[in-house]
Amino acid sequence: MRLLLLLTLLIWASPGLAVIETYEFDSTDLEERYFDLTAELRCPKCQNQNIADSNAPIAADLRKQLHTQLHAGKSDAEIADYMVQRYGEFVLYRPRWSGKTALLWLAPALLLIAALAILVAVLRRSGTSTQQLEQADRAELQDLLNVPRGTGERNSRD
């Protein structure tokens, strides 16, 4: 009974552990930009979670910094530059084109080209082996047809 009571209390208390931040915005445009940017920025600690969904302390700091910069009149690009300067390209879900990220951006196209090349090579190889097999079958059929009927001779390969 005590265990059931303890579990019930823990379940009721769990929503109180969630972090709820409320920031005041001068306009709905700033609020929309805030929500868009929090969805686009990755939490440096949580690996694959944006700062809007993360409860990590660093994500809370990033949200606060983002709010401050939006009220200071910074553009989205300036805010992204600031975050990249502090945390690296990892903080962006869509990293910018650079020498370091070229492979990341080109990898899907390169993999598609490689897959198509392998498919063409396999199809060509199977096509030639089929043709060779057909030629061998035709030659064997011709040998069988050239054997006179009724003589009881068998092909030397059998």
Side-chain angles (χ1 to χ4, degrees):
M1 186 66 176
R2 285 183 180 175
L3 181 61
L4 181 62
L5 180 61
L6 180 65
L7 287 174
T8 305
L9 289 175
L10 285 175
I11 291 172
W12 281 347
S14 62
L17 299 175
V19 176
I20 300 173
E21 296 174 349
T22 55
Y23 291 113
E24 296 291 325
F25 293 96
D26 297 336
S27 68
T28 57
D29 182 46
L30 276 181
E31 189 173 4
E32 286 178 21
R33 285 180 56 205
Y34 173 82
F35 289 120
D36 289 344
L37 286 169
T38 57
E40 288 292 321
L41 295 171
R42 185 189 325 244
C43 175
K45 181 179 180 184
C46 302
Q47 298 298 319
N48 203 17
Q49 195 174 26
N50 60 28
I51 64 172
D53 297 334
S54 175
N55 286 334
I58 192 165
D61 291 343
L62 287 173
R63 289 189 297 267
K64 184 177 180 181
Q65 185 62 242
L66 177 61
H67 179 260
T68 304
Q69 289 188 7
L70 284 171
H71 274 284
K74 303 277 181 154
S75 69
D76 292 356
E78 290 172 328
I79 294 171
D81 288 341
Y82 172 80
M83 297 294 182
V84 167
Q85 195 173 35
R86 267 188 96 176
Y87 301 101
E89 285 289 327
F90 176 79
V91 78
L92 299 176
Y93 268 115
R94 288 180 285 174
R96 301 175 197 153
W97 176 265
S98 69
K100 293 178 183 177
T101 61
L103 182 61
L104 177 68
W105 283 105
L106 295 175
L110 293 174
L111 288 173
L112 180 64
I113 291 169
L116 288 174
I118 291 170
L119 179 66
V120 167
V122 166
L123 290 176
R124 281 189 180 169
R125 184 172 297 149
S126 68
T128 56
S129 65
T130 303
Q131 289 174 354
Q132 290 171 352
L133 181 63
E134 287 176 2
Q135 290 173 355
D137 287 342
R138 287 182 186 161
E140 187 175 344
L141 276 172
Q142 192 62 38
D143 287 345
L144 290 173
L145 290 175
N146 288 336
V147 174
R149 292 188 183 179
T151 60
E153 292 182 27
R154 296 191 57 123
N155 194 341
S156 61
R157 284 185 268 179
D158 290 336

